[in-house]
Amino acid sequence: MEDKSIESLKQEFIQEIMSEQSFDTLKEWLYMHDEARYVASITSKEPELI
C-alpha cells in the first residue's frame, strides 16, 4: 500500500467531494468526514488532528 501524506489525502478527499453530483451522497461524505475527524482526534498523535 502506498504511504500518502496527509496533504495528498486531503486533496484526494476534496476532489472526490467536488466531483459529487448527488446532494444525499455529499451529505454522507461530510458526515463520514466528521466521524473520521472525531476518531482521529481521540486516537491520533498528529497535531493537526488533535
Side-chain angles (χ1 to χ4, degrees):
M1 183 173 158
E2 182 181 326
D3 189 22
K4 295 184 179 182
S5 71
I6 288 177
E7 196 59 38
S8 70
L9 290 172
K10 281 186 204 176
Q11 290 302 319
E12 188 177 321
F13 182 70
I14 290 168
Q15 288 172 352
E16 287 287 333
I17 290 172
M18 296 296 287
S19 67
E20 186 53 60
Q21 300 296 314
S22 164
F23 183 66
D24 289 337
T25 303
L26 180 56
K27 287 192 309 185
E28 287 299 315
W29 271 107
L30 294 174
Y31 175 76
M32 288 188 296
H33 177 259
D34 287 342
E35 290 292 308
R37 295 279 308 174
Y38 173 72
V39 171
S41 73
I42 297 171
T43 61
S44 177
K45 299 203 181 343
E46 291 287 330
E48 182 178 334
L49 299 175
I50 296 175

